[in-house]
Amino acid sequence: MRGQAYTLEGVLAAIVVVTATVYGLSAVDTGPFQTGAEQRTAELDARAADLLSLAAETGALQNATRCYSVGAPTLNGNQTGSSTEFERMLNYTFDRQGDEYNVYLSYWDRDANDRKTDLVSQAANQNAADNPADAAVATETVTLTDDMPTRIGDCSGTGPPLSAVGDYFAPDARPDSIVYNVVEVRLVVW
């Protein structure tokens, strides 16, 4: 009888110790124990997500996706000359800090019956396939409708509606619908 009582007491004590340890570890901030690379990736994740969210809220992201030049998106991340508001946001947030990034536009291609992805802004000295494994990634979607005007030239002027442009980079995914296409903007930063 005493042996059973001691065993039960030992089991309960072990449960109390394990519970206290788990609770104590959940209360400890492990941020200081991260490596410099992990902290940098976390910072880039936050900045990339914030930039895309702000660009979507202000309409800059939608304007950038509607900007085109004969069959290709013109979003090129140039640091000088005319650029879209979204490109200026990218330049201010990442280029000034010495960060590199790629911007991808992914959309439904009705002819191929699959999603197609275009690299539209590439770091000068980096191949798209060589993005670092610890790069930060953020995405945002933009819904384009048939009646939205395209952005032409330096993207400050408006052109014909998307449904009237035959060589726009993203095809009309549903010709029988008001929705022209849904474009996913993916920002990869390192």
Side-chain angles (χ1 to χ4, degrees):
M1 191 79 146
R2 262 183 205 213
Q4 291 176 338
Y6 290 134
T7 303
L8 184 58
E9 183 181 343
V11 169
L12 290 175
I15 290 173
V16 168
V17 169
V18 169
T19 303
T21 303
V22 169
Y23 179 73
L25 288 176
S26 67
V28 174
D29 180 19
T30 58
F33 303 112
Q34 291 180 334
T35 66
E38 290 171 336
Q39 287 177 341
R40 176 160 166 69
T41 301
E43 176 204 342
L44 288 175
D45 270 333
R47 285 179 27 211
D50 289 348
L51 178 121
L52 284 182
S53 179
L54 180 63
E57 288 178 21
T58 62
L61 195 58
Q62 184 187 85
N63 284 342
T65 58
R66 289 186 293 136
C67 189
Y68 90 105
S69 174
V70 188
T74 60
L75 180 67
N76 58 19
N78 58 8
Q79 296 180 21
T80 59
S82 62
S83 60
T84 66
E85 179 64 27
F86 179 58
E87 287 173 306
R88 287 191 290 275
M89 292 169 79
L90 286 169
N91 293 337
Y92 182 79
T93 305
F94 298 114
D95 289 324
R96 284 185 166 184
Q97 313 304 321
D99 301 321
E100 296 187 53
Y101 57 87
N102 285 330
V103 178
Y104 300 87
L105 299 182
S106 178
Y107 50 89
W108 184 257
D109 187 349
R110 181 174 37 105
D111 296 333
N113 201 27
D114 198 8
R115 290 198 70 77
K116 183 176 178 190
T117 302
D118 292 332
L119 172 63
V120 295
S121 176
Q122 184 171 348
N125 62 354
Q126 186 82 12
N127 184 341
D130 295 337
N131 290 340
D134 62 346
V137 180
T139 61
E140 190 75 41
T141 57
V142 176
T143 302
L144 302 175
T145 60
D146 290 336
D147 58 349
M148 287 182 168
T150 55
R151 312 289 290 183
I152 56 174
D154 63 356
C155 297
S156 61
T158 57
L162 290 170
S163 60
V165 178
D167 58 357
Y168 185 67
F169 75 94
D172 191 348
R174 304 252 345 226
D176 57 340
S177 168
I178 187 75
V179 175
Y180 184 83
N181 211 320
V182 177
V183 179
E184 179 188 74
V185 180
R186 187 173 68 234
L187 175 60
V188 180
V189 186
W190 64 96

